[in-house]
Amino acid sequence: AASDVYKRQGKYVADLAGGDAINIELGYYDGEVDDTVSLEFDYYFGPSFSLGAIIANTVDTDYTIKAEKFFADRFSVNASYMFGEYDDTWGIGAAVRF
């Protein structure tokens, strides 16, 4: 049987003065059990560092604060802290872009 799960997402990126930029994303995920609505915002301090936040609502609302630092065009490290009614989660990671 076909799944009724689907995702819709919109994204807007704007360049600001001085090489800074903002990213805004709105998402909707229709799950088989619960739906999720999310809003994500990132502020880029030049091309190599960003701070952001995510608000996601499924059954409860979760909030995420995040940061990412690029050390080269294709290599970055990131950290995040998610908190909500039922859980707190720290995350750290690295990414390579191809």
Side-chain angles (χ1 to χ4, degrees):
S3 175
D4 290 334
V5 177
Y6 65 91
K7 182 176 182 177
R8 300 289 183 258
Q9 188 166 348
K11 180 174 184 165
Y12 175 75
V13 178
D15 291 326
L16 304 174
D20 294 353
I22 59 169
N23 173 57
I24 302 169
E25 297 181 35
L26 179 62
Y28 175 75
Y29 176 79
D30 180 9
E32 291 182 9
V33 177
D34 295 313
D35 297 344
T36 301
V37 176
S38 64
L39 175 64
E40 183 170 348
F41 176 83
D42 296 295
Y43 189 95
Y44 291 87
F45 298 89
S48 67
F49 180 69
S50 70
L51 290 175
I54 303 170
I55 300 171
N57 184 287
T58 303
V59 174
D60 63 334
T61 301
D62 290 321
Y63 304 91
T64 302
I65 299 168
K66 60 186 184 150
E68 184 170 27
K69 172 66 176 163
F70 279 87
F71 291 99
D73 288 342
R74 298 181 181 199
F75 177 73
S76 68
V77 295
N78 56 67
S80 64
Y81 176 63
M82 183 184 77
F83 56 98
E85 188 174 346
Y86 300 108
D87 53 7
D88 293 347
T89 305
W90 287 96
I92 57 170
V96 177
R97 292 194 285 193
F98 295 94

